[in-house]
Amino acid sequence: MELQTKKDLLGFIYNRAYDLDHKDLQVLLRDNIFKYQSGLNMAELGKLSYKRSEFIHSKIESPLEVLANPSRLFALAEWAGLLDVSCFSIIMVHYNLTMGTFYDHALHNQATAAELEELNNLKSFGPYMATELGYGNNVAALKTEAIYDHDEKCFFLNTPDCLAQKYMSYSGFSDIPKIAVVMARLKIKEKDHGVFPFVVRLCDENGLRDGIQAIPCPEKPVQGLDNGLTSFHNLRVERDHALMGEIAAISEDGEFVANIKNVRARFLKSMSRIMPGRLCVSSAALGAGKASCYIALKFAQYRLSNAPGASDTAIIHFRPFQRALFVNLSKVYAMSALTNDGKTKFLDGDGKVDNDLTTQINITKAIVTWEMADVVSNCRERVGAQGIFSINKITEYISLLQGLVTAEGDNQVLIATAAGQLVNQSPAALIHTGDEHLSELSVENIITLLNARESHLHKSISENKINSAGSFFDEWNDNANDSIKLARLRGHRLALQAQAKWQCESSVAQSHLETLGRLFGLSLLKEDSAWYCSCGLVQCELIHGLDREIDRLCLLLEPHINTLIDAFGYDEALFDAPICFPDYGEQFTARSERMNSEGKRYE
C-alpha cells in the first residue's frame, strides 16, 4: 500500500510521465559538474553555467528531438535549473525559443541548414533577441529594422535608437560562439510589413562580428548570465536568413507576398514559441517551489526550538510553522495540477492553441509563478538564516522566480490580457443554483464557492462597463483590478478542479490529495472571507471557523509529510544542501571549513 501511495503521488506530480521524461534528468544532475562551487565571481559563475548546459545537452537527445516531443521539453524546463538556476535560462532560450523558431519556420530551409546543425549540435549557443530596452511586453512595437535591399538581395539590420537595443538576451560573453534569432521589423521600399525572425551569427571564438555592438548589463544577484545590450549597425543578413516559413515571402522582383494577411496574426505566428515557453516557465517555477518545500520541510524535522512547557521540539510540530509550510505544500500540489492540465491540453492539440487554451496558459503562467514566488520566499524565511546561503539553494530559487514572473510575458500584463478575454465571454455557468446553504467545505463545495465568486465578479464588471461614462481607457482602468481578480479566481478554480478529478489506485494517496486540496481551497476562501460570509451560499459558521479547520488539516498531514515530499522524486543527496541532513550543524561547519581552507571566502 505504501509503495502504491508513493507511485500514485509521483504520478500526480509528474502527470504519469516521471519514468519516461523526468527520471534520467534527475540522474544526470548528480554528476560532479553540478557540485556547489564557492568563491566564483559572476563571470566565472556564468561560464560554469554554460559548461553545465553543454553537459546537459551532451547527455540527452538533440534539441530537434526534444522539440518533437513537447512533454520532454517541459520536463527539461523543470530540471535544468534545479541545481544551477542560470542553466534554465540558457537551455530554454536555446531549445525552445531559438531552435524552436527554426523548428516551426525553417526546418527544411537549406540556406540555414548549416546554422541549424551548428545549433542542434551546440557548437554555438542560440540567444533569442525580441525584447528591446524600450519594448518589453509590447514586442509587436519593437524598433529594430531589417531593411530589404533588392539590388543586394539581402537585408540590412539596424538599431535606430537607444530604446531599440536588444535587451537581456545573452550577448555579454562574446568569446562563446552564438547564432541568434533576432526579431526585427521588415521594411521593403519604406513600407513596414511587421515583425519577423532573422538568423544572425553574433560571434565566434574571435569575438563579435563587425556591425554588432554588445554591452554587458550590470551584474544581477546570484545569476552570472551574460545579459547584454545589443545593437546592429548596417549588418548584412542574407535574404534567405529571414525565417518566414509559410507566413510570407519576398518575390523575385522584391515584393512582399503575405500568405497571412493580418499583421497581428503574422506577428503571433512568428512568435510561435511563446505558448510552449509559458508552460516551460511554469514547469521551472514548480521545480523551484518543490525543491524549496523539500529542503525546508526536511530541515524542519531536524531543527529544534524551545517549546512552551516542553523540551526542545522540532519546528515542524509548531502550528504556526505548519500553517505556513503545509499551505505552501498544498500550493505546490495544486499548481502541479493546473500546469499539468495545461500541458495535457497543449499535447492533445498537437501544439495548436485556440483562444480558450491561450487564456488558460496565460493564467497558468501568471498564477503558478506568483504562487511559487510566495512559496520560495516563505520557505527561505521559515528556515531562518540558513536560507540565505547559496549552498542551501533556496535563496537562488528566489532569484530564479524573480526572473520567471516577467519571463515570456510579464505576469501583470498576461493576467490583465486574460482577464479582458474572460470579461468579454459569457460568465462561467453557476455550479450551485439552489437556495440551501452548503453545510460543509469539501473540495467540491469550495469549487462551487469560487465559481459563485467568479460569476458575481463577472456580473459586477459587466454592469460597471455598461454604466461607465468615461473614455474606453477609463472604463478599462476602473474595472482592471476586479478583472484581474476574476482571472486569478479562474486559475485557482481550474487548479482545484484538475486536482479533484485525479484518480489514484491507492485510497491513501487519494485521501492525501483530498486533504491537500481542501487546505489549498480553504486558504483561498480566507482571502475573501467577508464576501463568502455574505453571499448566502454557505453557513457563516464555516467561514468563521476557517483558521481552526486549516490547523486541523495541518495536523492530519503532519505524519505524512515525508511521503508527500518524496513524491517529488528527490533525495537529500541530490541537493547536497547541509540543512537537508539530520547532522546539518556538522555538515554546515565542515563545508565552511573546507571553503575557507581553499582560500575562497576571504582573500
Side-chain angles (χ1 to χ4, degrees):
M1 180 66 74
E2 184 177 343
L3 186 62
Q4 185 61 50
T5 297
K6 182 177 180 180
K7 181 180 178 181
D8 283 349
L9 292 174
L10 186 73
F12 172 83
I13 290 294
Y14 293 106
N15 214 18
R16 297 194 175 101
Y18 179 77
D19 287 342
L20 184 63
D21 292 324
H22 295 263
K23 188 174 182 179
D24 66 316
L25 298 173
Q26 180 256 111
V27 171
L28 71 82
L29 290 183
R30 297 174 186 274
D31 191 271
N32 284 335
I33 195 171
F34 290 102
K35 289 290 184 184
Y36 177 77
Q37 296 189 31
S38 64
L40 303 181
N41 62 35
M42 284 298 172
E44 291 168 334
L45 280 172
K47 292 294 181 71
L48 177 60
S49 296
Y50 274 95
K51 289 180 180 177
R52 287 169 169 169
S53 298
E54 288 175 334
F55 174 81
I56 292 172
H57 173 274
S58 73
K59 296 298 181 181
I60 63 173
E61 59 270 42
S62 73
L64 286 177
E65 291 172 301
V66 171
L67 288 164
N69 178 13
S71 181
R72 179 66 159 172
L73 178 69
F74 301 145
L76 180 59
E78 177 164 339
W79 293 90
L82 204 63
L83 299 185
D84 181 341
V85 294
S86 294
C87 285
F88 164 78
S89 301
I90 295 170
I91 288 283
M92 280 301 107
V93 168
H94 183 88
Y95 278 64
N96 179 61
L97 294 178
T98 299
M99 286 292 296
T101 301
F102 273 89
Y103 186 83
D104 287 353
H105 304 300
L107 194 56
H108 305 295
N109 183 353
Q110 291 303 310
T112 55
E115 287 86 351
L116 178 61
E117 181 179 7
E118 198 171 323
L119 290 165
N120 199 42
N121 294 328
L122 206 59
K123 301 299 183 184
S124 288
F125 281 90
Y128 185 81
M129 297 186 164
T131 300
E132 296 180 356
L133 189 56
Y135 305 91
N137 290 299
N138 56 339
V139 171
L142 62 76
K143 298 299 184 184
T144 299
E145 296 177 342
I147 301 172
Y148 183 63
D149 186 318
H150 186 55
D151 293 334
E152 294 289 329
K153 299 293 191 294
C154 72
F155 303 94
F156 287 97
L157 209 60
N158 280 288
T159 302
D161 56 47
C162 174
L163 292 180
Q165 295 176 93
K166 294 301 182 183
Y167 169 58
M168 292 301 288
S169 42
Y170 310 129
S171 61
F173 295 148
S174 58
D175 57 339
I176 296 176
K178 292 173 181 171
I179 298 171
V181 167
V182 178
M183 301 302 293
R185 188 166 297 284
L186 172 61
K187 292 188 175 181
I188 301 177
K189 298 177 183 178
E190 299 185 352
K191 184 175 181 181
D192 182 348
H193 294 284
V195 174
F196 289 91
F198 295 82
V199 180
V200 176
R201 185 179 295 278
L202 292 182
C203 53
D204 55 24
E205 294 85 351
N206 299 315
L208 290 168
R209 286 179 59 196
D210 290 341
I212 301 175
Q213 180 184 38
I215 305 170
C217 291
E219 289 183 351
K220 303 192 307 293
V222 178
Q223 300 185 55
L225 286 170
D226 58 324
N227 304 102
L229 290 169
T230 310
S231 55
F232 306 99
H233 307 282
N234 219 33
L235 179 71
R236 182 186 179 103
V237 177
E238 297 305 321
R239 168 177 160 168
D240 46 20
H241 279 52
L243 304 185
M244 295 184 184
E246 298 178 353
I247 303 169
I250 297 174
S251 68
E252 289 302 317
D253 56 356
E255 297 296 326
F256 180 78
V257 180
N259 298 320
I260 298 175
K261 303 302 181 184
N262 182 272
V263 174
R264 177 67 180 173
R266 289 202 297 266
F267 169 73
L268 293 175
K269 186 74 172 177
S270 296
M271 298 281 289
S272 57
R273 300 311 302 178
I274 291 301
M275 284 300 145
R278 286 171 184 161
L279 290 171
C280 287
V281 167
S282 300
S283 300
L286 277 171
K290 286 186 288 194
S292 297
C293 277
Y294 182 89
I295 294 166
L297 287 167
K298 281 293 181 182
F299 182 56
Q301 298 173 61
Y302 313 133
R303 178 70 165 90
L304 304 180
S305 182
N306 293 329
S311 58
D312 286 348
T313 303
I315 59 175
I316 197 169
H317 299 307
F318 288 79
R319 206 73 75 234
F321 182 92
Q322 292 178 354
R323 174 82 67 88
L325 268 292
F326 292 7
V327 169
N328 276 358
L329 186 60
S330 76
K331 289 182 178 182
V332 167
Y333 270 76
M335 293 302 104
S336 295
L338 179 62
T339 303
N340 287 339
D341 186 61
K343 291 178 188 176
T344 298
K345 289 175 180 175
F346 181 88
L347 295 171
D348 288 347
D350 196 26
K352 295 179 177 64
V353 182
D354 62 17
N355 290 337
D356 287 344
L357 184 54
T358 295
T359 299
Q360 180 173 334
I361 290 174
N362 288 345
I363 291 174
T364 296
K365 187 267 175 179
I367 296 292
V368 171
T369 52
W370 270 330
E371 293 287 9
M372 292 306 101
D374 286 344
V375 165
V376 172
S377 180
N378 201 277
C379 287
R380 200 235 56 82
E381 177 188 349
R382 293 292 170 165
V383 300
Q386 285 284 354
I388 296 171
F389 296 100
S390 292
I391 198 169
N392 286 321
K393 306 301 181 195
I394 298 176
T395 192
E396 300 201 348
Y397 298 139
I398 292 177
S399 171
L400 175 65
L401 263 300
Q402 288 300 307
L404 296 183
V405 296
T406 53
E408 306 288 6
D410 184 285
N411 278 3
Q412 200 69 22
V413 176
L414 280 186
I415 203 79
T417 301
Q421 292 161 343
L422 293 180
V423 168
N424 290 327
Q425 297 172 2
S426 299
L430 280 172
I431 297 172
H432 179 80
T433 56
D435 295 328
E436 70 278 5
H437 286 77
L438 302 176
S439 59
E440 62 175 1
L441 291 177
S442 63
V443 171
E444 181 182 1
N445 285 346
I446 293 169
I447 291 170
T448 296
L449 289 170
L450 294 176
N451 163 256
R453 180 65 174 130
E454 193 181 328
S455 180
H456 179 269
L457 268 176
H458 192 288
K459 180 181 178 181
S460 174
I461 293 165
S462 299
E463 290 174 352
N464 287 341
K465 286 167 67 73
I466 291 171
N467 296 326
S468 175
S471 66
F472 179 78
F473 173 72
D474 291 334
E475 175 192 301
W476 177 89
N477 210 21
D478 288 344
N479 292 286
N481 288 322
D482 278 349
S483 298
I484 288 170
K485 191 169 189 176
L486 172 70
R488 293 185 73 132
L489 275 164
R490 174 66 63 89
H492 288 140
R493 178 169 64 82
L494 290 175
L496 268 181
Q497 287 177 324
Q499 184 166 337
K501 73 180 182 182
W502 189 270
Q503 295 298 310
C504 301
E505 290 186 32
S506 162
S507 60
V508 175
Q510 198 74 53
S511 176
H512 289 334
L513 291 182
E514 170 78 15
T515 304
L516 286 164
R518 287 198 67 214
L519 184 58
F520 177 66
L522 296 182
S523 71
L524 296 176
L525 298 185
K526 264 181 62 67
E527 294 177 6
D528 214 352
S529 58
W531 186 86
Y532 292 111
C533 257
S534 63
C535 70
L537 289 175
V538 63
Q539 297 173 4
C540 282
E541 292 78 7
L542 293 176
I543 301 299
H544 294 156
L546 283 175
D547 284 322
R548 287 291 182 187
E549 184 62 10
I550 286 171
D551 284 346
R552 190 187 72 82
L553 293 176
C554 289
L555 195 60
L556 286 177
L557 290 173
E558 184 182 338
H560 309 291
I561 286 300
N562 281 329
T563 297
L564 295 172
I565 62 175
D566 285 347
F568 301 158
Y570 306 152
D571 58 31
E572 296 89 340
L574 175 65
F575 298 104
D576 200 31
I579 60 174
C580 276
F581 297 94
D583 60 338
Y584 68 88
E586 288 81 359
Q587 292 264 356
F588 188 76
T589 301
R591 307 286 183 89
S592 300
E593 289 175 342
R594 184 166 68 245
M595 183 176 60
N596 282 286
S597 68
E598 294 170 352
K600 289 187 175 181
R601 183 64 179 95
Y602 298 109
E603 296 181 349

